[in-house]
Amino acid sequence: MTWSQRFEGTLNEAIARFNASIGFDIELIEYDIAGSIAHAKMLAKTGIISPQEGETLVSGLEQIRAEYREGKFVPGVESEDVHFAVERRLTELVGDVGKKLHTARSRNDQVGTDTRLYLRDKITEIRAALRQFQTVLLDLAEENVETLIPGYTHLQRAQPVSLAHHLLAYFEMLERDWQRLGEAYQRVNTCPLGSGALAGTTFPIDRRYTAELLGFDGIYRNSLDGVSDRDFAIEFASAASLIMVHLSRLAEEVISWSSQEFNFVTLTDRCATGSSIMPQKKNPDVPELVRGKAGRVFGHLQGLLVLMKGLPLAYNKDLQEDKEALFDTVKTVLVSIEAMTILMAEGIVFNRDRLDNAVAEDFSNATDVADYLAAKGVPFREAYNLVGKVVKTCLASGKLLKDLTLAEWQELHPQFEADIYDAIAPRQVVSARNSEGGTGFDRVREALKNARQLLVN
Ligand code: ARG
């Protein structure tokens, strides 16, 4: 029986199942045990229990951890949640002294501590996965500095860019994701243990000692805040959502690129799947799933925000609902980063010929014609209007800019000379955009070097 003598009857079975979180919060067991070990040591250190009692509790807890790892500890609904499950087992193992573990503690500060310990680990894992993904993107970018790809705005051909530059854009997004998680980590790494149920405790506990044992950077200054806010989880879910936004955008591009309409990449057999009815098909299931999973993670963020918005201080059982959202966010982000890493490493091959043709076959060098005249002193807006007219004529006659004869160019404007052909060749067009942060090859090489440097740190 879990509750105090105040209770006479037993809980309705369906309600017991409804109330229980053991089905999912078992995920926290290693953190729960770590938190309890620190708490037991603190109780002994402060003389709240004897040193011997402290040792008994710690070795009992370690035994539970071993049992769990061996698959021998499988608590059920009768334990309600992971905290009760561990405490019950402890008392079975070490006898009545096990009942002293919960002195000067509540499940409220306990669960807050467990969740933060869990998230701390997971943030570290996700950041490592991001680093790996960045490495793959960087490797791919390094091979493709001079591979050109149409650059789009409004999904209309705009100006060609270096493929490396395009890939590095994602590298940068992921870099910010990595940083953002690092910043969230700092706030996750604050210890609420010792807040008690809501108001602190009458015992002479040493909160800084438990925080230090658990590797926290500091403690919550206010006990009500310590047990009741979940802003750290929301902040994490928000950072996770941004990661999914970035993955999903790249996924969307790979999906488009692999369509026959674009044909910029071919999916390798390592990451593509077939159709059960159409034998000719090769489907981009991997990026599609990533794009789909993004919605799931955004849903968890929304769920957490709504969960919190009406809660009075301090703990409310609603907070039990934070866990599945958090666990699923962590798992979804991790598998999505992994899948995208594999996809970019071995799942696609860029069709270089097709890309070369693509950038040579359009009017994405039109800005460069205007720039050519502007560099010779023609006001840019005037040059822009003139080139607009040229494009219109070319479209009508089925020609590209490169097909115009020098005489035709000069008829359009006397400032055009033979070097106009060089100026509008795709390679030149890209290479000339050497402003800081631009796609010019020199800038891209510089960016690659800086990116490599970031990964070392
Ligand atoms: N399983 C609970 C949760 O996840 C633990 C805290 C329970 N506290 C309480 N006052 N009922 O939130």
Side-chain angles (χ1 to χ4, degrees):
M1 176 65 214
T2 311
W3 307 119
S4 72
Q5 305 282 317
R6 166 181 173 166
F7 285 80
E8 286 170 7
T10 49
L11 202 55
N12 174 297
E13 270 177 42
I15 294 300
R17 279 195 301 276
F18 180 69
N19 196 44
S21 53
I22 188 71
F24 48 87
D25 68 12
I26 188 73
E27 180 103 28
L28 295 175
I29 188 165
E30 297 262 352
Y31 305 102
D32 193 73
I33 291 172
S36 288
I37 288 176
H39 182 68
K41 286 182 177 169
M42 184 279 290
L43 291 177
K45 177 179 176 274
T46 51
I48 296 169
I49 60 175
S50 73
Q52 208 173 0
E53 287 171 330
E55 275 164 37
T56 307
L57 292 177
V58 170
S59 65
L61 288 161
E62 282 167 349
Q63 193 176 333
I64 298 172
R65 178 159 59 199
E67 286 178 357
Y68 175 74
R69 287 181 184 171
E70 286 163 23
K72 289 186 194 149
F73 180 52
V74 190
V77 163
E78 71 291 344
S79 294
E80 187 181 323
D81 63 19
V82 66
H83 324 293
F84 273 141
V86 170
E87 196 183 327
R88 278 169 74 132
R89 181 69 189 137
L90 184 66
T91 304
E92 276 170 26
L93 287 173
V94 303
D96 275 354
V97 60
K99 296 178 184 167
K100 291 200 170 185
L101 175 67
H102 213 51
T103 315
R105 186 177 73 169
S106 154
R107 280 185 302 158
N108 299 348
D109 55 347
Q110 190 179 357
V111 70
T113 306
D114 294 4
T115 312
R116 286 166 179 84
L117 288 172
Y118 161 86
L119 204 50
R120 218 171 60 172
D121 262 14
K122 297 302 168 182
I123 287 177
T124 305
E125 233 180 281
I126 295 170
R127 290 181 95 208
L130 284 174
R131 276 292 185 242
Q132 226 168 340
F133 187 27
Q134 285 181 295
T135 306
V136 163
L137 287 179
L138 190 52
D139 290 346
L140 197 56
E142 275 167 353
E143 291 162 23
N144 287 291
V145 175
E146 302 210 10
T147 307
L148 307 186
I149 184 168
Y152 297 83
T153 64
H154 316 270
L155 200 57
Q156 305 288 325
R157 296 270 182 99
Q159 293 166 350
V161 294
S162 151
L163 175 53
H165 193 55
H166 194 111
L167 295 169
L168 282 175
Y170 286 101
F171 180 97
E172 293 290 337
M173 296 175 221
L174 297 169
E175 181 61 24
R176 288 192 295 277
D177 289 331
W178 183 84
Q179 285 173 4
R180 213 177 337 263
L181 282 179
E183 289 150 16
Y185 184 101
Q186 295 172 17
R187 280 175 289 281
V188 170
N189 205 23
T190 304
C191 190
L193 196 59
S195 297
L198 74 164
T201 171
T202 53
F203 290 93
I205 59 171
D206 184 346
R207 290 189 59 199
R208 293 182 191 270
Y209 181 66
T210 33
E212 196 188 303
L213 285 178
L214 293 168
F216 282 108
D217 287 332
I219 62 173
Y220 273 80
R221 289 190 291 260
N222 180 296
S223 62
L224 292 164
D225 179 38
V227 290
S228 71
D229 208 348
R230 293 293 181 270
D231 54 358
F232 70 96
I234 293 175
E235 208 177 330
F236 167 75
S238 160
S241 294
L242 284 170
I243 294 174
M244 293 307 292
V245 168
H246 296 149
L247 297 186
S248 183
R249 292 188 73 184
L250 179 57
E252 167 63 20
E253 295 212 281
V254 172
I255 294 163
S256 307
W257 290 344
S258 69
S259 73
Q260 262 176 305
E261 284 66 22
F262 277 81
N263 194 23
F264 290 172
V265 301
T266 302
L267 299 168
T268 69
D269 293 355
R270 298 281 287 168
C271 293
T273 42
S275 153
S276 62
I277 170 170
M278 296 165 284
Q280 85 284 10
K281 290 202 71 190
K282 214 174 189 189
N283 294 331
D285 290 28
V286 173
E288 286 174 317
L289 275 173
V290 170
R291 191 175 58 182
K293 284 178 193 293
R296 197 161 131 182
V297 172
F298 306 161
H300 292 320
L301 170 62
Q302 175 76 355
L304 287 171
L305 286 166
V306 178
L307 174 68
M308 294 308 298
K309 74 173 276 292
L311 293 188
L313 294 182
Y315 179 87
N316 300 270
K317 187 75 170 209
D318 314 45
L319 291 176
Q320 182 163 289
E321 289 291 310
D322 66 352
K323 283 166 207 61
E324 286 160 293
L326 204 55
F327 299 161
D328 190 66
T329 299
V330 164
K331 279 175 208 156
T332 307
V333 168
L334 276 170
V335 292
S336 301
I337 299 174
E338 185 187 31
M340 286 305 284
T341 305
I342 296 170
L343 179 72
M344 297 309 282
E346 51 180 277
I348 58 170
V349 173
F350 281 95
N351 300 333
R352 300 252 168 90
D353 289 349
R354 164 72 189 134
L355 288 172
D356 269 352
N357 289 336
V359 294
E361 275 168 3
D362 58 21
F363 290 91
S364 60
N365 50 2
T367 319
D368 302 85
V369 179
D371 285 353
Y372 176 95
L373 288 179
K376 294 193 173 196
V378 180
F380 179 80
R381 188 55 64 209
E382 198 181 303
Y384 163 93
N385 283 328
L386 179 97
V387 180
K389 246 187 278 167
V390 181
V391 171
K392 191 172 162 190
T393 336
C394 282
L395 284 170
S397 57
K399 280 185 178 176
L400 291 169
L401 292 170
K402 64 179 176 190
D403 302 327
L404 296 175
T405 64
L406 186 56
E408 285 172 315
W409 278 116
Q410 285 175 339
E411 208 173 299
L412 290 159
H413 202 285
Q415 297 267 40
F416 283 119
E417 290 172 73
D419 61 353
I420 180 64
Y421 296 102
D422 271 350
I424 61 169
R427 198 152 299 278
Q428 175 56 25
V429 161
V430 175
S431 135
R433 292 217 153 72
N434 257 321
S435 53
E436 208 174 337
T439 191
F441 300 136
D442 292 343
R443 287 298 186 181
V444 170
R445 288 201 183 87
E446 199 178 290
L448 288 170
K449 239 195 275 166
N450 292 337
R452 205 37 95 186
Q453 200 56 42
L454 281 179
L455 292 187
V456 176
N457 298 327

